[in-house]
Amino acid sequence: MSSDDEREERELDLTSPEVVTKYKSAAEIVNKALQLAISECKPKVKIVDICEKADSYIREQSGNMYKNVKKKIERGVAFPTCVSVNNTVCHFSPLASDESVLEEGDVVKIDMGCHIDGFIAVVGHTHVLQLGPVTGRAADVIAAANTAAEVALRLVRPGKKNKDVTEAIQKVAAAYDCKIVEGVLSHQLKQFVIDGNKVILSVSNPDTRVDDAEFEENEVYAVDIFTSTGEGKPKLLDEKTTTIYKRAVDKNYHLKMKSSRFIFSEINQKFPIMPFSARALEEKRARLGLVECVNHDLLQPYPVLHEKPGDCVAHIKFTVLLMPNGSDRITSHALQELQPTKTIDDPEIKAWLALGTKTKKKGGGKKKKAKKAGEKAEDATEAEPMDATEAEPMDATTNGATAV
């Protein structure tokens, strides 16, 4: 029995090929679900319909995997699809009765997650509802998020520290005259754990402190970057807009209201571990019951946060596996063409972007053909999310714009 337990324990990280496969399978599904959500983003389309379509796709595709295995494998939505527009920062995933629609010119942030057997892949992306290149401050804020994500990808590697990333992404945002949004944590991912204890803080200040941590081989991280043309200090405007919750597994309380007990029992049955949307619960009963559950800390809410009206917020989130041969970014989506008003001149940022993400192994293994001196890597001039298998050094001169 104990040897089985040890085997289980040993196979829970990236040293097991099966675990890597599950992460990559979840990533493939979530990347396609993101593509689907972007294709649905059109003026006058209801936001809730986009969220539902993407979540349904994740449930359907993940449900088709590992069907015929003896031991039942949990799989499905790891984080409900959110579509947050313009100065809304995050977590907008409305109830079925909500009439919010997208409009031409909206800056749309899409965020979602999928898991296979508890191995989670998340992705976040920003898309502007317009034809042609994105210009002005919208281009600046998206380029800031994307370039910060590219720098973070190169600094989330074994031996580096979480505070290195925090400092670097703030420097990148400032180069575009934008701010990194405060209060955002990038978490280590583990099996069935979307908010691991090792974190990267978006902005360090006296109010928010996290433990210093060093990245290690075989770890997995969800790197979460939000940039704003405003102050980067978002506020909760209305608690009633919160629809995403996660069961706080370490908390217990004897609920008084019948509706609360009914809803809590449904949550324990359907969503014992992963975050979920109140859309999945019966709406009228849920509204009443969720309040008591939240008040007694049985549920952790994911509030809808806002910058000031007129501010523009961008979001890039990716999942990265710290493999022995380097960092493997497994979730991403190409950006629209950007024409930002700022260019990156800072030598330190350029040096970060010039780093590759693969480590050179001593001896053995297939060798890549050496590039001629001075010859640029084929994809190096593009600052769009890299191919999931390998990120080449990136040229800062394109400012996060994709060559078209």
Side-chain angles (χ1 to χ4, degrees), residues 247-248 251-256 260 264 289-299:
R247 169 80 171 96
K251 297 282 194 298
N252 286 296
Y253 173 79
H254 186 67
L255 294 159
K256 306 288 185 283
S260 307
F264 193 59
L290 288 169
V291 175
E292 193 185 2
C293 294
V294 171
N295 287 345
H296 293 285
D297 300 326
L298 294 176
L299 296 176

Side-chain angles (χ1 to χ4, degrees), residues 16 57-58 78 87 148 177 181 207 214 224 268 292 321:
S16 158
Y57 179 86
I58 291 172
N87 65 311
D177 196 17
V181 173
D207 305 333
E214 190 175 294
D224 212 354
N268 277 330
E292 193 185 2
L321 312 181

Side-chain angles (χ1 to χ4, degrees), residues 225-402:
I225 311 270
F226 285 92
T227 48
S228 174
T229 58
E231 290 178 10
K233 297 181 180 183
K235 299 205 165 30
L236 169 63
L237 299 183
D238 181 3
E239 282 182 8
K240 291 191 189 77
T241 57
T242 302
T243 60
I244 295 176
Y245 303 89
K246 183 169 86 71
R247 169 80 171 96
V249 285
D250 55 340
K251 297 282 194 298
N252 286 296
Y253 173 79
H254 186 67
L255 294 159
K256 306 288 185 283
M257 286 165 56
K258 194 178 175 183
S259 59
S260 307
R261 290 198 298 273
F262 176 86
I263 284 299
F264 193 59
S265 160
E266 191 182 350
I267 291 165
N268 277 330
Q269 215 178 332
K270 288 186 181 172
F271 311 107
I273 299 172
M274 296 292 181
F276 64 91
S277 161
R279 265 198 317 277
L281 308 168
E282 202 236 301
E283 197 166 317
K284 241 182 192 163
R285 215 172 209 168
R287 273 187 191 281
L288 284 168
L290 288 169
V291 175
E292 193 185 2
C293 294
V294 171
N295 287 345
H296 293 285
D297 300 326
L298 294 176
L299 296 176
Q300 174 194 327
Y302 288 81
V304 179
L305 300 176
H306 298 265
E307 282 276 71
K308 289 178 180 151
D311 291 344
C312 190
V313 180
H315 182 204
I316 301 282
K317 184 197 281 191
F318 64 88
T319 306
V320 61
L321 312 181
L322 304 191
M323 303 295 288
N325 65 341
S327 302
D328 191 353
R329 176 181 181 162
I330 58 172
T331 60
S332 65
H333 191 284
L335 290 167
Q336 292 157 288
E337 187 189 347
L338 304 175
Q339 293 179 356
T341 67
K342 315 283 176 196
T343 55
I344 292 274
D345 298 316
D346 187 291
E348 191 175 19
I349 297 174
K350 285 184 170 181
W352 287 326
L353 292 170
L355 296 169
T357 61
K358 296 294 173 191
T359 50
K360 290 180 176 70
K361 294 297 251 187
K362 289 174 187 164
K366 291 179 187 170
K367 287 188 179 175
K368 284 191 139 189
K369 285 181 186 171
K371 287 192 165 69
K372 289 175 195 165
E375 183 183 317
K376 280 192 179 175
E378 196 178 332
D379 296 320
T381 51
E382 303 219 352
E384 69 177 54
M386 299 298 170
D387 180 282
T389 52
E390 179 156 359
E392 293 279 3
M394 188 183 108
D395 187 342
T397 54
T398 52
N399 293 293
T402 58

